Amino acid sequence: MTTVALKDVTKIFPDGTVAVDNVSLDVADGEFMVLLGPSGCGKSTILRIVAGLEDPTAGAVLLNGELANDLPPRERGVAMVFQDYALYPHMSVGENIGFPLKLAGVEDVPRQERIADVASALGIGDVLPRRPHQLSGGQRQRVAMGRAIVRRPGLFLMDEPLSNLDSGLRAELRAEISSLTRELGVSTIYVTHDQAEALTMADRVAILRKGVLQDVGTPTEIYNRPATLYVAAFLGSPRMNLLEASVYVHLDRYITLNLGEQALYLPWNDYRARAVAHYHGERIVVGVRPEALTPVAPDTPGDVLTGRIQFLEHHGHETLAFLDVGATAIVLDDMAAAPETQSSNGRLRRLSGLMSRFTGRGKQEPSENGHRPSEPRSVLHDPQHRRRPAELAVRLAPYPQISPGQSLSIAVKIEALHFFDDRGFRIDVGWR
């Protein structure tokens, strides 16, 4: 088995493109680590650096605590599964699976036994004589996995292995890959842009943006307490509602979060209140996921927002209502590869623009896991920033007896709110 450590790894290509920017990341023995992010964020480059197919411009790669920068790929004990299967078309399934063993000089009888064992475990024992062109996409991916597994490596590297498959088969193979790697106890680094894969399969998830590590944690940690505004917006479908709020502190009582003409109230006994109170008289970003919003009667007391329904999306098991509550939406860039929500009138809500502090406070300190997210422009005070009215996404029962134009009141679960400063960093205390 293999542990992996990346220490301040940077990769700059000859044309000046910074693919990986000062990334530090540890993968424990037997851990399933998922690298998540949009296309071009540096995920596959990191995988190739670990495999030895790319040399880092700076930084160190350690395998089992030993420096591996100059170690050739064949001596790293890794097996890689590619997006496009990379099978030999002139070989049978059995020959493809057993090819690494043949190269290693394993004799025919034990080689055939290991091929049969792996093929049986992957459910392709009956197609060993066939050629790759006679197989379905799912079978080809199983063959590619079998070729990696038969080597009994210490580390699996998987580069979006399911992206070419249909959704049903992806879900089936997600479960198979996850259970198989855990059964084998092999450390795995898995690259994907699909948040469902990441949150379903991973022991921990590392989220990247433009080559910079944004957040690392368990799926529960990064979903419930994202380190940055970018991570908050990237995870979840529909995305988290991100609203501009001005802060007014009523000392020892509560904090008012003004959202246009309406407001929410953060109790002073909330553990986050003192951290938010530092932004008295300023504007911050308030995030709330649709599951923290509940439709209520208009006269319900408490933290309630009222808005007019702009449009509805029917998904069979639920309906999403999008409300104009008079607030201003915060819009992020780099989100094109994350799942988009298509409105019923055909509009794609695209997020663009991000962050950098204007208040004069010092730079963000590195988090406990040692990385420092990127520090972009202000989301609140950039004069070129595109602003638009917020369309608050709310989950409703399937096909409710309401229609666009009607008024709807929603109760907000205050304990589920997320707070970010104008550079996009989480406002919190002891958050991990």
Side-chain angles (χ1 to χ4, degrees):
M1 304 309 161
T2 302
T3 62
V4 180
L6 304 179
K7 303 297 183 184
D8 303 319
V9 169
T10 295
K11 177 63 179 181
I12 304 175
F13 288 107
D15 64 356
T17 301
V18 181
V20 181
D21 189 357
N22 198 37
V23 168
S24 294
L25 183 67
D26 296 320
V27 181
D29 186 14
E31 183 176 28
F32 198 111
M33 171 68 76
V34 173
L35 304 183
L36 176 66
S39 297
C41 71
K43 308 182 300 293
S44 295
T45 302
I46 290 175
L47 211 66
R48 291 173 62 83
I49 288 173
V50 173
L53 303 177
E54 295 280 359
D55 295 323
T57 305
V61 178
L62 285 78
L63 300 178
N64 290 326
E66 300 292 331
L67 186 63
N69 285 36
D70 298 325
L71 205 63
R74 65 179 179 276
E75 296 179 18
R76 298 195 180 200
V78 304
M80 199 160 180
V81 179
F82 298 93
Q83 177 179 345
D84 58 358
Y85 319 132
L87 302 178
Y88 299 108
H90 64 286
M91 294 183 182
S92 68
V93 168
E95 290 169 337
N96 266 283
I97 293 175
F99 188 67
L101 301 180
K102 186 175 182 180
L103 287 180
V106 178
E107 293 184 1
D108 186 62
V109 173
R111 184 169 75 244
Q112 295 303 323
E113 290 176 353
R114 284 170 63 175
I115 291 170
D117 289 343
V118 168
S120 177
L122 292 170
I124 52 175
D126 57 338
V127 297
L128 289 178
R130 297 185 189 176
R131 297 288 175 88
H133 73 273
Q134 298 174 300
L135 306 179
S136 67
Q139 288 172 325
R140 292 180 194 178
Q141 196 55 271
R142 286 183 172 92
V143 175
M145 286 189 60
R147 186 175 56 191
I149 292 168
V150 78
R151 296 177 52 193
R152 298 175 182 170
L155 176 65
F156 282 141
L157 304 176
M158 301 190 181
D159 192 0
E160 304 207 46
L162 307 182
S163 60
N164 290 335
L165 306 177
D166 62 70
S167 59
L169 193 52
R170 280 203 306 270
E172 179 184 337
L173 286 183
R174 272 203 303 262
E176 288 187 14
I177 291 173
S178 183
S179 61
L180 187 60
T181 53
R182 285 173 171 79
E183 182 182 332
L184 295 171
V186 179
S187 307
T188 303
I189 303 178
Y190 187 101
V191 162
T192 184
H193 64 272
D194 187 331
Q195 59 169 295
E197 286 185 16
L199 298 178
T200 300
M201 302 173 72
D203 293 320
R204 286 192 302 150
V205 180
I207 299 180
L208 292 131
R209 172 180 181 259
K210 294 182 178 179
V212 177
L213 192 59
Q214 297 287 306
D215 199 1
V216 183
T218 66
T220 300
E221 286 173 345
I222 63 170
Y223 186 83
N224 290 335
R225 307 189 80 178
T228 69
L229 192 60
Y230 178 82
V231 176
F234 192 85
L235 294 175
S237 182
R239 292 185 181 136
M240 181 185 290
N241 299 295
L242 300 172
L243 310 174
E244 179 182 307
S246 58
V247 177
Y248 191 87
V249 178
H250 303 265
L251 197 61
D252 295 328
R253 297 171 61 197
Y254 56 84
I255 297 174
T256 302
L257 303 168
N258 293 301
L259 308 169
E261 296 181 358
Q262 303 189 72
L264 299 174
Y265 301 92
L266 182 67
W268 193 251
N269 61 4
D270 190 298
Y271 77 98
R272 302 164 297 175
R274 284 160 181 78
V276 175
H278 288 293
Y279 296 81
H280 174 69
E282 300 177 16
R283 286 180 287 174
I284 64 172
V285 180
V286 174
V288 56
R289 295 198 184 276
E291 52 264 35
L293 305 173
T294 306
V296 294
D299 56 351
T300 301
D303 289 285
V304 175
L305 299 175
T306 300
R308 195 163 299 280
I309 298 173
Q310 298 299 296
F311 50 93
L312 299 169
E313 287 183 357
H314 301 292
H315 295 278
H317 66 290
E318 69 176 2
T319 292
L320 297 177
F322 292 87
L323 273 65
D324 179 1
V325 295
T328 299
I330 297 303
V331 195
L332 305 183
D333 63 354
D334 295 0
M335 303 303 296
E340 295 282 357
T341 302
Q342 178 76 38
S343 70
S344 58
N345 64 358
R347 289 177 295 171
L348 267 183
R349 282 176 299 286
R350 181 182 171 273
L351 301 177
S352 67
L354 220 149
M355 316 170 220
S356 173
R357 214 153 166 69
F358 77 104
T359 59
R361 291 188 177 86
K363 287 186 177 181
Q364 176 84 358
E365 291 301 315
S367 66
E368 292 178 10
N369 52 33
H371 70 270
R372 184 199 302 273
S374 56
E375 299 179 9
R377 297 192 309 269
S378 169
V379 291
L380 302 175
H381 299 273
D382 181 359
Q384 296 183 355
H385 174 64
R386 183 169 64 86
R387 305 165 74 83
R388 61 169 172 77
E391 293 170 345
L392 207 64
V394 183
R395 297 185 189 276
L396 303 177
Y399 302 98
Q401 299 302 306
I402 56 175
S403 58
Q406 291 184 344
S407 179
L408 183 66
S409 296
I410 51 171
V412 181
K413 190 182 295 184
I414 294 297
E415 60 271 24
L417 294 181
H418 303 261
F419 305 106
F420 303 92
D421 67 19
D422 79 315
R423 287 184 305 164
F425 296 119
R426 187 177 186 85
I427 302 172
D428 209 344
V429 289
W431 63 276
R432 284 263 228 282

